[in-house]
Amino acid sequence: MVYGTSRSEIAFEEAYKVARVYLQQKAAYEITRSCMFVNCWNISGREDQRMWREYTTSADSVVMTTSMKALQRAVAEQRIVVSRVNYISESAPRVEFSHTTPFFYKDRFFSFENELRLLRPLLEDEQVLVENEEDFGKAVSVNMTRLIHRVITHKTMSKSSIAAIESLTSQFCGRACVHPSVLL
């Protein structure tokens, strides 16, 4: 990664007489990583064969869809940072004015993901202990009835699994519809 070489970062440092120590900044990012929780969404608006292939391992897989508006409403009352991911080469300069910026960059190789990330920082009264498995994630309260619009089942999912998905969707996701993938 190249630090301090983008035109806007150079201009910012000159205008505000800021000198950054990049090795210390990198160490701070590592600490920050352990205090952030990330939720990722594909925002292409359609099913993607490569996403099914790369991120599912069995016929019991599903895709859940929503809208940007519903997603924003679902997390509106919580301290969540939402942004698209920027896909750039590892050697490209990055403007990093915030401690959350690194979470919204990814290598160009992953651009097929077309990703939106929700970032939940550790709250003031929380702590993370690496040896505590409960600290590997943090719950974010959402209204599933409003959030989930569709559940797309793997094309080869068994009838009993589809029935279970339909039951769970009816119970927890209200008016969301369930239908099989057309891609696999």
Side-chain angles (χ1 to χ4, degrees):
M1 187 175 332
V2 179
Y3 294 102
T5 58
S6 72
R7 281 184 280 166
S8 50
E9 193 166 10
I10 291 168
F12 177 82
E13 289 175 3
E14 287 176 5
Y16 292 98
K17 306 299 182 224
V18 175
R20 296 188 185 196
V21 180
Y22 293 103
L23 289 177
Q24 289 175 342
Q25 186 175 347
K26 187 175 180 181
Y29 286 155
E30 288 304 312
I31 293 168
T32 302
R33 278 184 50 203
S34 66
C35 300
M36 295 289 179
F37 302 90
V38 179
N39 182 270
C40 307
W41 291 79
N42 171 278
I43 53 174
S44 69
R46 58 180 170 68
E47 279 187 85
D48 184 279
Q49 184 71 39
R50 186 168 179 190
M51 291 294 288
W52 277 106
R53 190 174 58 248
E54 299 277 338
Y55 296 105
T56 62
T57 57
S58 77
D60 288 330
S61 302
V62 298
V63 170
M64 292 183 278
T65 70
T66 189
S67 67
M68 187 63 190
K69 189 178 205 176
L71 185 58
Q72 287 174 321
R73 276 194 314 251
V75 298
E77 301 299 317
Q78 301 179 53
R79 203 171 126 202
I80 305 284
V81 180
V82 180
S83 181
R84 289 184 79 134
V85 169
N86 296 298
Y87 298 97
I88 61 174
S89 72
E90 281 295 314
S91 62
R94 302 176 187 188
V95 179
E96 297 182 359
F97 295 133
S98 166
H99 67 287
T100 62
T101 303
F103 295 94
F104 300 108
Y105 282 105
K106 208 165 180 181
D107 190 86
R108 225 181 243 144
F109 173 80
F110 297 99
S111 63
F112 73 94
E113 294 174 337
N114 200 15
E115 189 177 339
L116 178 84
R117 285 192 175 173
L118 284 70
L119 186 67
R120 182 204 181 270
L122 197 61
L123 303 177
E124 288 179 23
D125 62 340
E126 294 178 317
Q127 65 179 354
V128 174
L129 301 172
V130 176
E131 63 275 1
N132 188 356
E133 202 170 300
E134 294 171 7
D135 287 343
F136 292 176
K138 294 293 178 189
V140 173
S141 180
V142 296
N143 181 332
M144 296 296 283
T145 303
R146 294 180 136 188
L147 180 63
I148 304 302
H149 296 166
R150 286 185 309 156
V151 178
I152 303 169
T153 61
H154 194 281
K155 194 172 186 175
T156 61
M157 183 179 279
S158 70
K159 289 184 180 178
S160 62
S161 291
I162 291 172
I165 295 294
E166 288 172 339
S167 174
L168 289 168
T169 301
S170 174
Q171 183 180 358
F172 294 105
C173 301
R175 294 168 274 165
C177 59
V178 177
H179 60 85
S181 172
V182 295
L183 294 180
L184 299 170

